[in-house]
Amino acid sequence: MIVMKFGGTSVGSAERINDVAQLVKSYQNSKPVVVTSAMTQITNQLEDMARLATTGNRKRVIAAKLAALKSAHNQAISGLGLEPSAEAALRAIIDDKTAKLGNILKSVTALGELTPRGRDLILSFGERLSIHLVAAALNAQGVPAVAINATDFLVTDDNFNDAQPLLTLSKKRAQKLLLPLIEKGTVPVITGFIGATRDGVTTTLGRGGSDFSGTILGYCLDAKEVWIWTDVDGVMTSDPRIVPAARTIDKMSYEEASELSYFGAKVIHPRTMIPTAELGIPIVIKNTMNPKHPGTHITPSGDTAAKGAKALTLMKDLAMITIQGKGMRGVQGTAARVFDTMAAAGVNVLFISQASSENNITIVVEKAAGHVATRTLRQAFATEVRAKRIDFVEYHGGVSLIAVVGTGMRQHVGMAGSIFSALGNGNVNVIAIAQGSSELNITIVVESKEDAKALLCIHDALYAAKGENS
Ligand code: ASP
Ligand code: MG
């Protein structure tokens, strides 16, 4: 059995939904279980309507938006090639659901207030609608399919807007509900993104949560694999818009995938991998537009034979703060104080490095947090500055972080060396560098205006020579 998750663009129009149905049909023998997002942009529109409703006086605007949402679905239905009776049944479902949604929006408007619980209910409608279109398209192509709302089995805590699944309970319910269907050859088409509390109140797993629904289902059904269908050929060695030579990585480990997403690569959210990691179920990232391409396989051990780097990511436009002073030498706990101060200020530290001379500590944070970080650090170290143990706390905007990630970098001598020579040859100035103690990544700080050049130089040096992506 294979769980196949389709994102919003993959079900964004009649044409795309028909493609999805064709694709699922071609894998019918593997017992596919389908998880789908809302049609593209629909969740954003629902969020918009929910927000407007809280103003209490935008009834007409909301009604117009609701009509547009309904017509987007109806327009897609016209292109699914359904029998008249199936089409009428489907339109009735859309009528019914959008009418319910309209009533909920009216009550929010009357109250002028939206609870997290109410927001989840409103946002759940995108998937509540899309499953019916996908299931109908499958049936039209001769694949028996049934639309299923995940609230029927996926139990979560009541942390609305960002609920956590209760896996053991969900597993029991999922098996009971879904296995008999799968056994008789029916494809379940399940809402991504949503679940319900033990009491049956709708929750969501957080925006973009459909991938998570896919891996939760993989866990619950002990699937052979979970396939995340998207619009690129899997995870690339780097951003192809900047590095034309970037190519698909065929295998990577869970650890590498979470490291990459930490550094801003849109691989798959680390939380998403938890349910499948536990059972060692592979996650495959595949392209709906190019289904023949094998994509990227994320497995517990990845490519154990691979040497060197796996991928390069770029985080642009960050801020760097340097704490400089000879008096820091030998003083214990300076780095710890930097972290404590940042944690207290609610600033996430993306990078830290300390020169071995201990004359300075450099941190990199999101640009938006740069000034707060600088101000709080100046306050925290004011005594040291007065005592001249610290010379200054300096702010520097416009830097970028490049992370080179790969398990194969462990015990691999000369990685930092080749990166530095590549940058030297390319005339790129390296501002700071750090290596994670896991040796899974090397992170470099450069000026943002030089970041594309830096990325190209490193990619060239690490991959071009090898002619393979290991
Ligand atoms: N439809 C939801 C969202 O847009 C969930 C998803 O697409 O993953 O956030
Ligand atoms: Mg998505």
Side-chain angles (χ1 to χ4, degrees), residues 17 39 73 76-77 80 90 94 129-138:
I17 294 174
M39 290 177 74
H73 288 85
I77 290 172
L80 295 180
L90 183 53
I94 304 302
L129 293 166
S130 67
I131 48 170
H132 294 283
L133 274 65
V134 175
L138 277 163

Side-chain angles (χ1 to χ4, degrees), residues 115-132:
T115 58
R117 172 177 167 162
R119 176 183 174 272
D120 275 359
L121 181 60
I122 293 173
L123 261 57
S124 75
F125 274 87
E127 276 76 5
R128 279 176 203 256
L129 293 166
S130 67
I131 48 170
H132 294 283

Side-chain angles (χ1 to χ4, degrees), residues 178-302:
L178 303 173
L179 289 182
L181 290 172
I182 301 168
E183 278 317 307
K184 65 172 202 233
T186 302
V187 176
V189 179
I190 302 165
T191 53
F193 183 47
I194 65 187
T197 64
R198 283 170 197 268
D199 302 333
V201 182
T202 299
T203 55
T204 67
L205 305 170
R207 288 302 309 270
S210 294
D211 291 350
F212 199 17
S213 305
T215 55
I216 293 169
L217 261 157
Y219 172 92
C220 290
L221 301 174
D222 199 359
K224 186 167 152 266
E225 290 176 343
V226 175
W227 291 9
I228 309 278
W229 287 97
T230 172
D231 47 14
V232 288
D233 292 338
V235 185
M236 312 282 287
T237 51
S238 195
D239 185 342
R241 286 165 302 183
I242 304 173
V243 183
R247 51 176 173 265
T248 305
I249 299 167
D250 22 278
K251 286 187 216 163
M252 67 196 314
S253 66
Y254 270 103
E255 200 184 8
E256 288 169 330
S258 47
E259 191 84 2
L260 276 175
S261 48
Y262 174 80
F263 286 108
K266 287 202 204 73
V267 183
I268 180 164
H269 192 280
R271 182 178 69 156
T272 299
M273 294 187 279
I274 294 170
T276 38
E278 195 177 317
L279 300 182
I281 300 172
I283 299 175
V284 188
I285 317 270
K286 281 178 73 77
N287 190 354
T288 332
M289 317 273 204
N290 187 13
K292 294 245 153 55
H293 194 289
T296 300
H297 288 242
I298 303 172
T299 58
S301 58

Side-chain angles (χ1 to χ4, degrees), residues 158-441:
D158 60 0
N159 187 18
F160 294 100
N161 302 179
D162 193 23
Q164 283 297 325
L166 305 179
L167 289 175
T168 315
L169 190 53
S170 301
K171 179 173 180 166
K172 231 194 258 154
R173 296 194 183 175
Q175 297 204 343
K176 189 158 169 238
L177 176 69
L178 303 173
L179 289 182
L181 290 172
I182 301 168
E183 278 317 307
K184 65 172 202 233
T186 302
V187 176
V189 179
I190 302 165
T191 53
F193 183 47
I194 65 187
T197 64
R198 283 170 197 268
D199 302 333
V201 182
T202 299
T203 55
T204 67
L205 305 170
R207 288 302 309 270
S210 294
D211 291 350
F212 199 17
S213 305
T215 55
I216 293 169
L217 261 157
Y219 172 92
C220 290
L221 301 174
D222 199 359
K224 186 167 152 266
E225 290 176 343
V226 175
W227 291 9
I228 309 278
W229 287 97
T230 172
D231 47 14
V232 288
D233 292 338
V235 185
M236 312 282 287
T237 51
S238 195
D239 185 342
R241 286 165 302 183
I242 304 173
V243 183
R247 51 176 173 265
T248 305
I249 299 167
D250 22 278
K251 286 187 216 163
M252 67 196 314
S253 66
Y254 270 103
E255 200 184 8
E256 288 169 330
S258 47
E259 191 84 2
L260 276 175
S261 48
Y262 174 80
F263 286 108
K266 287 202 204 73
V267 183
I268 180 164
H269 192 280
R271 182 178 69 156
T272 299
M273 294 187 279
I274 294 170
T276 38
E278 195 177 317
L279 300 182
I281 300 172
I283 299 175
V284 188
I285 317 270
K286 281 178 73 77
N287 190 354
T288 332
M289 317 273 204
N290 187 13
K292 294 245 153 55
H293 194 289
T296 300
H297 288 242
I298 303 172
T299 58
S301 58
D303 186 355
T304 41
K307 297 252 184 313
K310 184 120 295 174
L312 287 180
T313 73
L314 173 65
M315 288 170 97
K316 286 182 81 64
D317 297 320
L318 307 167
M320 178 175 82
I321 299 146
T322 303
I323 305 161
Q324 170 90 32
K326 293 207 175 34
M328 279 174 8
R329 196 177 298 172
V331 180
Q332 280 170 15
T334 312
R337 267 177 69 201
V338 170
F339 270 121
D340 288 347
T341 310
M342 292 299 88
V347 174
N348 182 25
V349 178
L350 299 167
F351 170 98
I352 181 162
S353 95
Q354 177 168 27
S356 58
S357 65
E358 296 186 39
N359 277 346
N360 64 58
I361 290 178
T362 301
I363 66 168
V364 174
V365 302
E366 297 283 355
K367 187 154 204 174
H371 290 293
V372 180
T374 312
R375 197 169 351 104
T376 41
L377 284 170
R378 282 183 182 148
Q379 279 159 7
F381 288 100
T383 319
E384 283 81 356
V385 172
R386 251 179 270 125
K388 305 232 182 316
R389 283 202 298 274
I390 284 177
D391 302 334
F392 54 78
V393 175
E394 187 186 53
Y395 170 88
H396 185 109
V399 300
S400 299
L401 268 186
I402 295 175
V404 186
V405 173
T407 333
M409 299 193 334
R410 284 180 188 144
Q411 284 120 22
H412 188 83
V413 184
M415 279 302 301
S418 17
I419 294 170
F420 276 128
S421 345
L423 291 172
N425 294 339
N427 263 324
V428 178
N429 180 35
V430 178
I431 304 176
I433 179 161
Q435 174 166 4
S437 60
S438 61
E439 293 190 45
L440 191 59
N441 82 72

Side-chain angles (χ1 to χ4, degrees), residues 26-215:
S26 68
Y27 289 104
Q28 218 174 342
N29 292 336
S30 316
K31 300 194 179 156
V33 173
V34 173
V35 176
T36 180
S37 291
M39 290 177 74
T40 185
Q41 292 305 324
I42 296 295
T43 314
N44 289 342
Q45 288 161 17
L46 290 165
E47 195 140 42
D48 235 30
M49 288 183 237
R51 186 180 47 76
L52 286 165
T54 59
T55 63
N57 57 11
R58 307 295 295 278
K59 286 190 193 129
R60 273 218 222 114
V61 186
I62 297 171
K65 285 187 181 276
L66 183 60
L69 180 143
K70 186 172 167 181
S71 103
H73 288 85
N74 274 321
Q75 203 187 331
I77 290 172
S78 310
L80 295 180
L82 305 178
E83 296 286 337
S85 63
E87 181 164 332
L90 183 53
R91 290 198 198 278
I93 293 174
I94 304 302
D95 280 349
D96 174 58
K97 302 245 180 265
T98 46
K100 284 203 175 98
L101 172 62
N103 286 334
I104 296 165
L105 287 164
K106 274 188 195 132
S107 5
V108 174
T109 305
L111 288 169
E113 153 184 89
L114 183 65
T115 58
R117 172 177 167 162
R119 176 183 174 272
D120 275 359
L121 181 60
I122 293 173
L123 261 57
S124 75
F125 274 87
E127 276 76 5
R128 279 176 203 256
L129 293 166
S130 67
I131 48 170
H132 294 283
L133 274 65
V134 175
L138 277 163
N139 282 313
Q141 298 197 20
V143 181
V146 19
I148 289 177
N149 192 332
T151 53
D152 291 343
F153 66 87
L154 204 170
V155 189
T156 71
D157 61 14
D158 60 0
N159 187 18
F160 294 100
N161 302 179
D162 193 23
Q164 283 297 325
L166 305 179
L167 289 175
T168 315
L169 190 53
S170 301
K171 179 173 180 166
K172 231 194 258 154
R173 296 194 183 175
Q175 297 204 343
K176 189 158 169 238
L177 176 69
L178 303 173
L179 289 182
L181 290 172
I182 301 168
E183 278 317 307
K184 65 172 202 233
T186 302
V187 176
V189 179
I190 302 165
T191 53
F193 183 47
I194 65 187
T197 64
R198 283 170 197 268
D199 302 333
V201 182
T202 299
T203 55
T204 67
L205 305 170
R207 288 302 309 270
S210 294
D211 291 350
F212 199 17
S213 305
T215 55

